[in-house]
Amino acid sequence: MKKLGFGLMRLPLLDENDGKSVNVERVKVMADRFMEEGFTYFDTAAPYHGLQSEAAFREAVVKRYPRETYTITDKFSMWMINEEMDMETFFQGQLDRLGVEYMDIYLLHAMNRNRFEDAKKMGVLEFVNQKKAEGKIKHIGFSFHDTADALENILNEWPEAEYVQLQLNYLDWEDERVQSRKCYEVALAHDKKILVMEPIKGGVLAVVSPVVEKLFKEYNPEASVASWAVRFVASLKNVVMVLSGMSDEAQMEDNLSYMKEFEPMNEEELQLVMKAADIIRNDIAVPCTGCRYCVDDCPMKIAIPDYFKVYNRLKQFQGLKLEDRRNEYNRVAENNGKASECIECGMCEGHCPQNIEIRKVLKDVAASLE
């Protein structure tokens, strides 16, 4: 299987202000190109686009291709289980939205130390093991956001897990908050198959400062900035798949161009990305990946990732006019709560995989852009 996976988390929309308005016709076009080049791996989850990611996959792939021609990974999102929604109902709902009778890979979603303890108490491990025994899941594992120690504990307690999905990219490689390298080394020591999420860190590593872009272009003028990030993680041992949340046709074509015949990085290239990481780390204000987990329960409907993106552009590209960034902020604020309207309930921080102090940063955003 080729190493590039189509992450269905940031699909093209009919209305940019409505995350559920997936442009299914464009997704069909992108899925066709993806499979035309021999790529077969798709990744989704119920929270993506408010249940519409799974439905879009059904329309774009399941209804149009034989079942044996693609691999679909979905996830058990524990925070969506409530009194009205038991595990069986949630799981069957996913199968129905996907339009399949089984999932190739099923992951416990966004595991950390506390969530894994909750999964044990709820009987989630037994539930997915049972679904695997019934043939409704072919392979099991979990996606993960926590420290290397927490990952070690989970793998020791649940050795049946076949896959571990990790946030790996060259910017987070030595970041003590994300512990990319340390988590990778733990998964490697347990000889797990590794799936990579956020290789471009939500687009942060696709649009970099002129200094970093010059560094890459001097070495290889033809390679896109994003390709350096994807190739870095695809070159790692035991990495079997790298997910890219491709949201338009241009991103798709770029990824296909260098992953069709994948070439692992050489030592000189590896040194270059580490140098780039040092430069970017000093420039970036907020390490947000745009996953949008923070917005679902926000009582004020604040567009947190969108504001962080504008704020990062303000801080990273000092040459850009403040007035332009404020106009960009105001366009987002037309249909969403403002950063200054945060009531500091903390719901967002409980969902953030990056452990960002969101309430504090929102105050900085408001001070700079309102």
Side-chain angles (χ1 to χ4, degrees), residues 40-282:
T40 61
Y41 189 97
F42 296 84
D43 173 277
T44 188
Y48 300 170
H49 294 287
L51 308 180
Q52 296 309 304
S53 172
E54 293 167 325
F57 176 75
R58 180 188 66 235
E59 297 300 315
V61 179
V62 176
K63 288 185 176 181
R64 301 168 66 239
Y65 289 90
R67 181 63 182 90
E68 68 275 8
T69 61
Y70 58 84
T71 296
I72 181 63
T73 293
D74 209 327
K75 306 179 187 75
F76 187 86
S77 307
M78 284 174 48
W79 59 91
M80 297 183 75
I81 305 296
N82 52 43
E83 292 177 1
E84 294 78 32
M85 177 81 74
D86 61 17
M87 290 188 284
E88 183 65 44
T89 303
F90 178 77
F91 182 78
Q92 188 58 49
Q94 291 181 292
L95 290 176
D96 293 343
R97 286 190 297 274
L98 291 171
V100 298
E101 294 182 357
Y102 67 90
M103 299 175 196
D104 296 286
I105 301 173
Y106 198 59
L107 306 175
L108 305 190
H109 198 176
M111 285 294 103
N112 55 32
R113 193 184 307 273
N114 294 333
R115 195 166 278 157
F116 186 71
E117 290 303 313
D118 291 340
K120 289 191 296 182
K121 292 174 185 175
M122 288 172 59
V124 176
L125 307 187
E126 292 81 3
F127 178 79
V128 297
N129 284 335
Q130 178 60 35
K131 291 303 171 186
K132 183 180 178 184
E134 293 173 7
K136 293 185 177 181
I137 299 171
K138 299 299 181 185
H139 303 281
I140 57 177
F142 58 94
S143 65
F144 180 79
H145 294 282
D146 206 336
T147 63
D149 287 345
L151 179 59
E152 180 76 46
N153 290 337
I154 293 175
L155 290 174
N156 285 335
E157 289 196 50
W158 197 35
E160 298 95 331
E162 301 163 83
Y163 289 85
V164 179
Q165 186 163 299
L166 297 174
Q167 178 175 317
L168 302 181
N169 57 67
Y170 67 77
L171 184 59
D172 292 329
W173 195 241
E174 298 296 348
D175 189 309
E176 272 305 305
R177 190 174 48 244
V178 181
Q179 298 193 4
S180 237
R181 177 181 57 79
K182 290 180 179 179
C183 287
Y184 166 74
E185 289 173 350
V186 168
L188 190 65
H190 284 261
D191 198 27
K192 298 300 180 182
K193 295 175 182 176
I194 299 171
L195 310 169
V196 175
M197 57 185 163
E198 302 294 358
I200 311 175
K201 201 169 173 67
V204 170
L205 301 181
V207 182
V208 295
S209 68
V211 174
V212 175
E213 185 169 5
K214 183 172 183 286
L215 192 71
F216 289 150
K217 292 298 182 182
E218 284 181 346
Y219 184 88
N220 184 350
E222 303 303 315
S224 68
V225 171
S227 71
W228 287 82
V230 175
R231 288 184 58 237
F232 169 74
V233 290
S235 300
L236 297 171
K237 183 181 177 182
N238 276 31
V239 167
V240 296
M241 190 59 57
V242 179
L243 301 176
S244 178
M246 296 172 272
S247 54
D248 60 45
E249 294 82 351
Q251 292 174 10
M252 170 74 71
E253 292 300 332
D254 180 50
N255 282 343
L256 296 179
S257 69
Y258 58 85
M259 290 301 286
K260 281 189 295 188
E261 303 295 336
F262 170 65
E263 297 256 346
M265 279 192 165
N266 60 40
E267 189 58 38
E268 189 175 359
E269 289 174 314
L270 291 171
Q271 290 176 3
L272 269 178
V273 295
M274 289 298 106
K275 184 176 180 181
D278 289 338
I279 299 169
I280 296 169
R281 199 174 292 113
N282 291 328

